Amino acid sequence: MREKKAVRYFEEEILSLEKKCNNSDYFQSMDHRQQEELKDRLQRYRDALNDLKTPPSP
C-alpha cells in the first residue's frame, strides 16, 4: 500500500514539474540556476518512479 502511495505521489509531482517546464512564461521567468534545479528535480523524480515500478533483481 505504501508503495502505491509513493508511485502516485511521484506521478503527480512529475506532472506538476512537467507543466512548469513546459510553461515558457513560467520557465523563462526563472534564473538559470532555478531552471537547472527544476530540470534536475524532474529527472530525480522520474528515476525514483522508475525504481519504484521496477521489481528488484533476485
Side-chain angles (χ1 to χ4, degrees):
M1 187 64 139
R2 176 185 279 171
E3 196 170 290
K4 286 183 181 181
K5 285 184 179 181
V7 167
R8 188 167 42 247
Y9 169 80
F10 281 111
E11 287 173 340
E12 290 172 1
E13 286 298 309
I14 288 168
L15 286 175
S16 175
L17 293 173
E18 285 175 339
K19 285 180 185 176
K20 289 178 181 179
C21 284
N22 292 332
N23 180 335
S24 61
D25 291 336
Y26 178 84
F27 193 74
Q28 294 301 321
S29 71
M30 304 169 86
D31 64 34
H32 182 70
R33 182 186 55 79
Q34 291 170 320
Q35 291 174 354
E36 290 302 313
E37 287 175 359
L38 181 64
K39 289 184 210 174
D40 182 56
R41 185 168 3 136
L42 179 58
Q43 187 58 52
R44 284 185 285 126
Y45 282 16
R46 285 178 176 153
D47 291 343
L49 181 61
N50 189 42
D51 289 345
L52 285 170
K53 288 184 171 183
T54 305
S57 299

